[in-house]
Amino acid sequence: MAPSKRRPDKDSDAQLFANSTKHKKARKEPDSARAPPKNSKSVHEDQIEKPTSKQTQRSLLQDEERAFPRGGANVLTPLEHKQIKIEAERDVLFETSASKENENASGAASGRKRSSHDFDNESAQENRRRKRKRSQSASKTTATDPEDHVKIEGLSFRRLVPGSQVLGQISQITSRDVALTLPNNLTGFVPLTSVSDTLNRRIEEILNKEDGNDETEASENEDDIQLQHFFRLGQYLRACVTANTNTDGVAPQSTSRMKRRIELSVNPAQTNAGMDLSDVAPGDTVQAAVSSIEDRGFVMDLGSKSTNIRGFVPLKEMPNDLNQHDVEEGTVWLCVVTGVSTNATTVQLAAKQQEGATAHQASSVSSVKNKGVLLPGTAVRMVVTAIVDGGVSGSIAGMMNATADQVHSRQQSGVQGKSSVKAGSKLISRIIFSPQEGEDTVSVSLLPNVLALSQPLTKSDSASQPVSELLPLSTIVEDATVSEIWSKQGLVFDVGIAGLRGFAHISRLSDKKIDSLSAANGPYQIGSRHRARVVGYNSVDDQFLLSLEQSVLEQPFLRIEDVKVGQKVTGTVEKLILNTQGVAGLLVNLADGITGFVPEMHLADIKLQHPERKYKDGMRVTARVLSIDTDKRAINLTLKKSLINLDKVWSDWNQISEGSRSTGTLVNLSKSGALVRFFGAVRAFLPISEMSKAYIEDPQQHFRIGQDVQVNVRSVNAEQERMIVSCKEPSGDNMDDQSSYDGIKLGTFVEGKVTATTDVDVKLELVPSGIPAILRLGHLTDGSEPKSVRAAKHVRVGQKLQDLLVLEKYRNKRLIVLSKKPSLAEAAKSGTSISGFEDVVLDQTVEGYVRNIIAEGVFVQFLGDLVGFLPKQKIQDAASTLPNFGLHIDQSIKAHICFVDTELRRFTLSMKEKSSAKAATNSPKSKENAAVPPPLDDTSIPLNEFSVGSLVQVKVSSVKRTQLNVKLADNVNGRIDVSEVFDSWDDIADKRNPLAHLRKGDTISTKVIGFHNSRTHRFLPFSHRTGVNTVFELTAKPSHQAPGSADILTIDQMTIGLSLVGFINNITIDKIWVTISPKLKGVIDILNISEDVSVLKDVESHFPIGSAVKVRVKSADALNSRLELVPSNFERPEELTIDNISEGMIIPGQVAKVSEYDIYVRLSSSISGSVGMTQLADDYSQANPAAHEQKEIVRVCVVEVDKAAGKVQLSLRPSKVLSSSMPVIDPHVVSISQLKVNDIVRGFVKLIMDKGLIVRLSPTVEAFVHIRDLSDEYLKDWKSAFKPEQLVRGKVINTDAALGHIQLSLKASLLDKNYVASFAFEDMKRGQIVHGKVRKAESFGVFIVVDNSRNVSGLCHRTEIADATVADATKVYEEGDRVKAIVLKVDLEKRRISFGLKASYFKEDDAEDADEALAIFDENGTEEGGVSLDNRENDSRPEERADEERELNQNAMSSEEGESASEGDEAGGEESEHSAKRRVSGTAAGVLEAGGFDWGGDGDTSSSTAKKDFSIFDGEPDHAQKPKQKRSTIEVDRTGDLDRNGPQSSDDFERRLLGQPNSSSLWIQYMAYALQLNEIQNARDIAERALKTINIREEEDKSNIWIALLNLENTYGDDNTLESVFKRAYSYTDSLEMHEKLVSIYIDSGKFEKADELFQTMTRNKAFTPSETLWLNYATFLMTSLQDPDRARALLQRASQSVPEHLHRHLTTRFAALEFTSPNGEPERGRTIFEGLMAAFPKKWDLWDQFVDLERSKGESENVRGLYERMTAEGVKMKPRRAKFVFKRWLEFEEKEGSGKQVEYVKKRAEKYVEGLKGGDGVIE
């Protein structure tokens, strides 16, 4: 139902029934108006019996179906039954008395006619009635007042508050939401995210996938969610109101008239929120979402978060109009409970919509245990308590009040009488609305369509038709008859169709306001007729919405669907739409709320320069509808007169036929043609050949987008929606052109007029037909290419050329190819030219031209598409060695035909002179005339008389494994297949090589059985003896040597089980081909050749090619010529199938597929099995599917067979397939009974759920790990710590064999006896000494995180850092510094810890407990038994400190320094004063940049930081050096610098340059100032002045100016100016430096192609290539910027040839590092290079350190540990200083990345290493 725009002074349709009830009492209608007609019946009168007086005395509950508790037992005692019966009878008497009082009151007033003064006395009459009823209630305690009944109120916008629930029907589905038609003419909307939790998870997955592919390309649309796949029109759903506001945010209670919107949710978690799912019973209605699709039905999510209750819908109970394969996860259905499982965890549901009254009765709720089940959509029995004008009220099971308004009760007003439904009647109804929790009144519906949850259908006897189709929207009903009057709401009309009615709201009756309606007077009396218009239809209310407003009746369109494509419309210009190019289009108002858009190209037939001058706001225009997009609510119009005035528009493909003519608009142009748009979706392609009779090279030169063209249809396919059109004139002229085209024959001569000339051909039009033709330049003459080019220069446009030979015709392009070669023309005139294969004659001399040239020869073309081949050997010897054999395309060729193959329709040419020898041909005639060579013996018949069965003596020319090659005569060959040598198996002496007894030259007797094609290896019958590749097929079997034909086995003779002798012909990876006869080959499955796996792995050695085998027929398919065999001695008598395979069998198999987590093994041709991760090995850590290859032969053990599902589980465990005594680390778990509590097992993660992990212990046993049991530590994002099929180790903490449950714990505290628990906040005590790292440094203090803790951290205030005053803590510490601290204060409430770092807090004799393992490195032998690793006399040698600093600062270490440090070179100079300052002050050291790579990994490593970490680890104080005394400096008089803000004008710069002429920075500022003023040339002049002014010795400043000038030309200049400046720059300065700078400029500005070209130029310059920086920078650019890693890797080989040899190791190291640092690199490739380098240079410790840093940068902790293990392994010799450095870095790594256990391991390893270095004299060996 489409919305229509309402007048602002009218009531909203959402308030259609809101006024039916008020808080004040309703006024009574006159008695006459209340008298019903005699034949009037209620809707349910034929279904419900009228209660008698006796029936009113008994409980209505007796008529209800008895409710049996589950299990059949009665839970109530007899006393309780009696009490319930008494209370029920009392309730019925109370309700019945109330009904009688209501009827008596109505009957007393029926004889009077109500006058006007009755309304004045209404209050008095009401008071008297109340008194009378009170007196009656005094004597009858069960009586009640009708006025005290539940208020009957229709559904309204005000009542739909958030939290309430309503029943709706889907009326519209868009890409963003679903529209639900609600009762009482309301509409709600369900957003995409309010459907179901399952659908929300799918949306999140799609969004995450798109976020991960932002840098590449968008994800494909195949995963996009389309709501049309989840819902269907007409589907009923329960919805929960989530929002109810106006579009401007005004609450519903506001008086604002803005458009209102109701937001709904159909998520089962909200729609079932009020139900207790653990207590549902059959008949209850629930809403469920499909969570998974199974073979037998659908698992449904009921939205329960607190319970594990799930629903299940069998396939037979799914909706009738759905297919199982069309259902998607997340789909929501309204279901009825049909059963509950015994453990109450699964609810059986039915999603079928019930049909018929009996179905309604059966599906209704028979008993209600709690109010929670009374939700919208539930069918109930309502006991009627009152019938009033507003509808019907009643109760449901005595627990809930229910009302049905006028619409949904179909109770007619008083003018037509009283309803026949009586109080106490029981009616089947369906709940359509339930309010918020706390209210006890629901709304129900008695309408048949709501009861059946179906679309309203017509009541006729003919085929059912939806009611909405009988009166489409916007239909005008000429005679709408008033049938009911609702005074405050509106009128009910009879629309003239039986069973249908319409409703017009009071605000829709007139353009003027109407306050109330009267049945007695006025224009709207019962029976009056009016003209109305259908403005909507509510399928839930089953009534049309009408409007009697004159403005609506006159409106041309009410909705966008009323507008038709191609329709001529009139509208008003609203406004012009502007964009950056000017006017983008025009908005035209067609009707109230309907606007169309006119694109700029459709404003007029010609392009308007100033559209705003022609079209003014409010101007009336006539347009035609181009297209309509209902989803986007958009209409496109055209104002072109050529389209508006069309007599017939093309808007439907079925209306278009070939030859039709119309006008269209060009919307796209390409080199091949144009796209023409008509109306709607009709589009056509206009080929370039159909644009004009004249030649058109580029359509854009003749047409423009938006241009209108008249076209006619050449071809149309309505089904595929494809059409080809032409601008050429159709009908007669076109037929003449076609006949003219067909009249032109190959080899004839025509005349043409030149229309255009190009570099390759001449364009012509034939005279007089005008057919287009081309003449290639090579066909102008017979001469060379230059001669043809010279001849083309004399051709002019308009010139006529005669005697043009027709070479080819392209019918699809209607194009003719011509030639003016004299040689071809002469041949055509003499009749010697050939145009078809029938014209080819052996030895004929022909004229042609070169079509193509290949290495093997030349293709020569003749007339038409006839082509011959000129082999290289047939070309003159002098030309055969020349390039292209001295020929060119289109060159004239004269040759003779030397060979003809009539079968393949091929012929060969030769340019050599004809020889006297006979020409080889394959024609039967020539073969008959050929000389027959003599046979080998005189007794044989002549060769020309051979036939099948002829006996002949042959000589063996060669012996092969599978055949004998023989000679019958000179140049006559034959073959004998190995299968035609032996008669039986016993005749074969050597089974492995049957033909070993024959030798070359042996003469044997044979018989002819046919021919053999040596190229296709196929047997040919004797009738196919022609062909150059055919030889005689012979047989040498002794039994076949008798005269007559030999019997050759064929597949028709094969029967299952037949035993045969075969010979292996070929062996593939999974099959063995066996030759049975020359005509017959069979195949043996490789798995059927043997049961021995060793044989299967090496089949060729056991069954060599040509060997004989005894086989039997397994199957024979004569239709497909397929013969399957098995060896006769095969161990298994029958093939493995799912029926005969059993558990425990050990059989060979072949790997069919290898996936990431398992492998699939083929056991036979009909059965395969899978091997899971738990069955790959006895040690799960060795389980790796990638270790197996496809087609690999393996031995497997069958562990499980599921014959019902046809699935087999296999095992590759050695303990299963080899020997059960083999060691097993992870035993195979067959059942839960094998496991006991506290057992430690390993398994693979199968599933990651919200509550924990599912771990697969074996194919049949799985365990659950709760979130709390995953780790001892808190894991914030625990899901990212696990991945599918990850190997985990856990302890069994609970088992339940009955339920099949196992629970594991992965906590290290339960698995590791040596587990060291980390510190918690509660473990911190005042005075405790801890070690940690600075997490963050601020000016007021540092935050310290404690080692081996659960992220326990605290603050050390700056006043507690040192005994001296510290003003700024960041000057002393920085992030990552290691510290020793004491706990000063612990605040448990605020969870804060205060630390102290003062030296006075720590005693002198405190042991360094954290550094005991490395204390020997720092104490210099002061410990008892200790040794000095450094072997030095004091601790203050500056050269040693410098060496340590160089080792730690890898980023600043050059190749030579790294080598000397690693080799322990003690020779070093004194530390410079500058480096000492730098280390003390903490400023960052410069980082060596080579090729964009930073060895430090972070690019910001400073030597000061490394030194600081070193000293803290040693336990040495980091003493700061005293600052040197400042030198006295000369104070400069700066009074002349008046401008403190820098130069602000040219004069300022000139004044400053007088004092600083050599300052490049000042010159560059001057250039920038000129550029700010857009004075580009002035900036160039300034640069030129700078180059002339700066002193020649100031090379750096000059270089800076050149670089600035290059940047200027790159930004503001062109390629020529930049090239000119660059040439000058590298001429005057360092050439390599300028090249590198220009490359950097190109890269920074995004000009990667130019940067690549410049890099390539540099690599070709021998002066640059020795620089390793060049190659590294180029490799980094290719790898990172161009994302071309293959080119980058290829540079290493080139660089190694150019760079000096002593730099090769450093160069290779940098290339390997690039694989780690580049986003396009492959770290595995880098590791391979590093391993090779370390194997070649094991003592180059800088390689090891760089490798460690790179692995750390990639987060590969295990690889880092492995490298440290290798560096510190036994037998590896390191100097003490090196060993100290390695262990320090290892310990720092474990403290940051590892655990407490790993830290302790490093310390023990260091201790062990030191002990191993001690000698007998206490010093290092």
mmCIF file of all heavy atoms in Angstrom, residues 1551-1562:
data_model
loop_
_atom_site.group_PDB
_atom_site.id
_atom_site.type_symbol
_atom_site.label_atom_id
_atom_site.label_comp_id
_atom_site.label_asym_id
_atom_site.label_seq_id
_atom_site.Cartn_x
_atom_site.Cartn_y
_atom_site.Cartn_z
ATOM 1 N N ARG A 1551 67.437 42.610 2.018
ATOM 2 C CA ARG A 1551 68.275 43.167 3.085
ATOM 3 C C ARG A 1551 68.995 42.063 3.846
ATOM 4 O O ARG A 1551 70.179 42.174 4.160
ATOM 5 C CB ARG A 1551 67.410 44.004 4.019
ATOM 6 C CG ARG A 1551 68.188 44.709 5.110
ATOM 7 C CD ARG A 1551 67.333 45.727 5.848
ATOM 8 N NE ARG A 1551 66.165 45.113 6.452
ATOM 9 C CZ ARG A 1551 64.918 45.275 6.003
ATOM 10 N NH1 ARG A 1551 64.698 46.028 4.937
ATOM 11 N NH2 ARG A 1551 63.898 44.690 6.596
ATOM 12 N N ARG A 1552 68.292 40.981 4.117
ATOM 13 C CA ARG A 1552 68.921 39.871 4.827
ATOM 14 C C ARG A 1552 69.945 39.147 3.979
ATOM 15 O O ARG A 1552 70.963 38.684 4.478
ATOM 16 C CB ARG A 1552 67.858 38.871 5.290
ATOM 17 C CG ARG A 1552 67.025 39.394 6.451
ATOM 18 C CD ARG A 1552 66.378 38.252 7.187
ATOM 19 N NE ARG A 1552 65.724 38.700 8.408
ATOM 20 C CZ ARG A 1552 65.291 37.895 9.368
ATOM 21 N NH1 ARG A 1552 65.437 36.588 9.229
ATOM 22 N NH2 ARG A 1552 64.701 38.363 10.447
ATOM 23 N N LEU A 1553 69.664 39.014 2.688
ATOM 24 C CA LEU A 1553 70.593 38.306 1.812
ATOM 25 C C LEU A 1553 71.914 39.066 1.669
ATOM 26 O O LEU A 1553 72.939 38.455 1.355
ATOM 27 C CB LEU A 1553 69.961 38.091 0.441
ATOM 28 C CG LEU A 1553 68.866 37.015 0.386
ATOM 29 C CD1 LEU A 1553 68.203 37.007 -0.967
ATOM 30 C CD2 LEU A 1553 69.465 35.644 0.678
ATOM 31 N N LEU A 1554 71.880 40.384 1.916
ATOM 32 C CA LEU A 1554 73.138 41.125 1.884
ATOM 33 C C LEU A 1554 74.072 40.668 2.990
ATOM 34 O O LEU A 1554 75.289 40.651 2.831
ATOM 35 C CB LEU A 1554 72.848 42.624 2.018
ATOM 36 C CG LEU A 1554 72.140 43.289 0.818
ATOM 37 C CD1 LEU A 1554 71.805 44.735 1.136
ATOM 38 C CD2 LEU A 1554 73.020 43.213 -0.426
ATOM 39 N N GLY A 1555 73.467 40.278 4.121
ATOM 40 C CA GLY A 1555 74.295 39.807 5.235
ATOM 41 C C GLY A 1555 74.550 38.312 5.197
ATOM 42 O O GLY A 1555 75.535 37.841 5.767
ATOM 43 N N GLN A 1556 73.685 37.523 4.541
ATOM 44 C CA GLN A 1556 73.842 36.060 4.487
ATOM 45 C C GLN A 1556 73.691 35.594 3.048
ATOM 46 O O GLN A 1556 72.735 34.903 2.698
ATOM 47 C CB GLN A 1556 72.797 35.374 5.372
ATOM 48 C CG GLN A 1556 72.800 35.840 6.813
ATOM 49 C CD GLN A 1556 71.689 35.205 7.617
ATOM 50 O OE1 GLN A 1556 71.450 34.013 7.505
ATOM 51 N NE2 GLN A 1556 71.030 36.003 8.435
ATOM 52 N N PRO A 1557 74.603 35.909 2.191
ATOM 53 C CA PRO A 1557 74.446 35.548 0.778
ATOM 54 C C PRO A 1557 74.577 34.050 0.524
ATOM 55 O O PRO A 1557 74.112 33.559 -0.498
ATOM 56 C CB PRO A 1557 75.551 36.330 0.083
ATOM 57 C CG PRO A 1557 76.605 36.517 1.135
ATOM 58 C CD PRO A 1557 75.859 36.656 2.439
ATOM 59 N N ASN A 1558 75.246 33.316 1.444
ATOM 60 C CA ASN A 1558 75.452 31.883 1.230
ATOM 61 C C ASN A 1558 74.442 31.016 1.973
ATOM 62 O O ASN A 1558 74.598 29.793 2.022
ATOM 63 C CB ASN A 1558 76.863 31.494 1.683
ATOM 64 C CG ASN A 1558 77.935 32.140 0.826
ATOM 65 O OD1 ASN A 1558 77.730 32.369 -0.364
ATOM 66 N ND2 ASN A 1558 79.074 32.470 1.428
ATOM 67 N N SER A 1559 73.406 31.606 2.539
ATOM 68 C CA SER A 1559 72.414 30.849 3.299
ATOM 69 C C SER A 1559 71.364 30.286 2.347
ATOM 70 O O SER A 1559 70.513 31.019 1.834
ATOM 71 C CB SER A 1559 71.752 31.744 4.348
ATOM 72 O OG SER A 1559 70.704 31.063 4.996
ATOM 73 N N SER A 1560 71.424 28.967 2.131
ATOM 74 C CA SER A 1560 70.451 28.338 1.230
ATOM 75 C C SER A 1560 69.044 28.389 1.830
ATOM 76 O O SER A 1560 68.063 28.509 1.102
ATOM 77 C CB SER A 1560 70.853 26.893 0.953
ATOM 78 O OG SER A 1560 70.934 26.150 2.159
ATOM 79 N N SER A 1561 68.940 28.296 3.160
ATOM 80 C CA SER A 1561 67.615 28.332 3.774
ATOM 81 C C SER A 1561 66.935 29.667 3.539
ATOM 82 O O SER A 1561 65.723 29.729 3.297
ATOM 83 C CB SER A 1561 67.720 28.043 5.278
ATOM 84 O OG SER A 1561 68.512 29.040 5.909
ATOM 85 N N LEU A 1562 67.686 30.759 3.568
ATOM 86 C CA LEU A 1562 67.098 32.074 3.326
ATOM 87 C C LEU A 1562 66.677 32.221 1.870
ATOM 88 O O LEU A 1562 65.605 32.777 1.575
ATOM 89 C CB LEU A 1562 68.111 33.161 3.709
ATOM 90 C CG LEU A 1562 67.577 34.601 3.746
ATOM 91 C CD1 LEU A 1562 66.399 34.707 4.695
ATOM 92 C CD2 LEU A 1562 68.678 35.575 4.165
#
